[in-house]
Amino acid sequence: MLKERFEVKDLGEAKFMLGIQITRTANGYSLDQSSYIEKILKKYNYFDCKPACTPYDASVKLFKTTGDSVRQSEYASIIGSLRYAADYTQPDIAYVVGLLGRFNSYPSREHWNAIERVMRYLKRTANLGIHYQRFPAVLEGYSDADWNTLLDDSKATSGYVFSIAGGAVSWKSKKQTILAQSTMESQMIALATASEEASWLRGLLSEITLWERPVPQVLIHCDSAAAIAKVENRFYNGKKRKIRRKHSTVRELLTIGAVRVDHIRSEQNLADPLTKGLPREKVQNTAKDMGLMPTEPWTTSDGNPTQ
């Protein structure tokens, strides 16, 4: 049998992949989903909606529906579409999308109002992308938790975000599976989750040939002095075995030098929008600090964009 011959072609720099646009800028690169966001706004008839400054109104309290659901299949479809944006280039909507996803089975009119708020926010921020500068290429993270987010649910929400070169590379907003008895416990659970992610990212970077060797410790910022004091102590005297395991996880990663933890003020914690709704100014500031800025192509000296 004759062996087939495959010819490898150089197609140049990547510009579009899986709905994500890659733009070369003067200082680095940016990733955005402006075309995808425009597509879903048109698909669900929100393209001409009035823009909103925040993705979620923190004064609104959402509850599980006990009666009939309202347009459940369409609701679940929108959540799925929003999830793709939240997971790849829109960390600023990760919390509210995760929160609204808890009501997929029985959405009410209040849940629909919250979805409309997200769509209005995307209308305003569709041109934002995550910008990555050339330097500094250092991985650092932020961890946070919000205890008792919902009045009818006692479990806290964890959030973390990691950035390199000024742009977010990994983030998550997730309801905790362990029932914490205090703010300190919820913060320690969140810190354990962030530490595990930091360890995985550190291992990933070590496999990149051109990356600095050895990969330095990953600094994780946390705004809970009590949680930091607990993980820095070798012993944990809590009664819950599951939380004791979380303490052991952080202690092990601290001991082997994979991560280190320091205290940061709450208003400087970039993981804050991943655990709760925030006012307009803080939404804008944290989004900017995560690298979310208007996307502009790199232009040459004569003012023409690069091809």
Side-chain angles (χ1 to χ4, degrees), residues 56 60-62 95 99 102 145-158 275-277:
Y56 178 62
V60 174
K61 303 299 180 183
L62 299 176
Y95 166 70
L99 175 63
R102 303 177 193 178
D146 187 41
W147 191 40
N148 292 348
T149 303
L150 301 179
L151 297 180
D152 60 346
D153 192 337
S154 299
K155 291 182 179 178
T157 300
S158 292
T275 62
K276 63 180 77 69

Side-chain angles (χ1 to χ4, degrees), residues 142-297:
Y142 298 80
S143 172
D144 196 19
D146 187 41
W147 191 40
N148 292 348
T149 303
L150 301 179
L151 297 180
D152 60 346
D153 192 337
S154 299
K155 291 182 179 178
T157 300
S158 292
Y160 66 70
V161 58
F162 290 88
S163 63
I164 296 178
V169 294
S170 177
W171 59 86
K172 178 174 284 188
S173 175
K174 185 179 181 181
K175 176 181 174 182
Q176 294 182 357
T177 57
I178 303 173
L179 182 61
Q181 299 295 331
S182 65
T183 301
M184 183 277 297
E185 287 188 352
S186 67
Q187 290 278 5
M188 190 164 61
I189 293 170
L191 194 55
T193 304
S195 298
E196 290 174 336
E197 179 68 8
S199 178
W200 185 87
L201 289 172
R202 189 167 178 262
L204 177 64
L205 293 178
S206 67
E207 297 179 5
I208 299 177
T209 306
L210 299 179
W211 205 267
E212 177 188 357
R213 304 288 180 84
V215 179
Q217 287 180 316
V218 181
L219 175 61
I220 302 177
H221 304 284
C222 176
D223 58 14
S224 173
I228 294 175
K230 281 291 183 181
V231 298
E232 289 180 344
N233 192 326
R234 291 178 54 194
F235 304 101
Y236 178 69
N237 55 4
K239 296 181 179 180
K240 282 196 171 184
R241 183 174 60 181
K242 292 182 178 179
I243 296 181
R244 191 180 302 116
R245 287 177 177 174
K246 295 296 182 182
H247 176 267
S248 299
T249 297
V250 183
R251 281 295 312 163
E252 180 181 356
L253 294 174
L254 285 171
T255 302
I256 65 176
V259 301
R260 61 189 180 95
V261 184
D262 77 344
H263 184 262
I264 193 172
R265 295 166 60 185
S266 295
E267 54 268 25
Q268 297 176 322
N269 194 340
L270 297 191
D272 212 19
L274 296 169
T275 62
K276 63 180 77 69
L278 299 175
R280 178 178 61 180
E281 183 178 359
K282 194 161 186 180
V283 168
Q284 294 173 348
N285 290 340
T286 53
K288 183 178 180 180
D289 290 340
M290 285 189 283
L292 283 168
M293 292 182 286
T295 301
E296 296 179 359

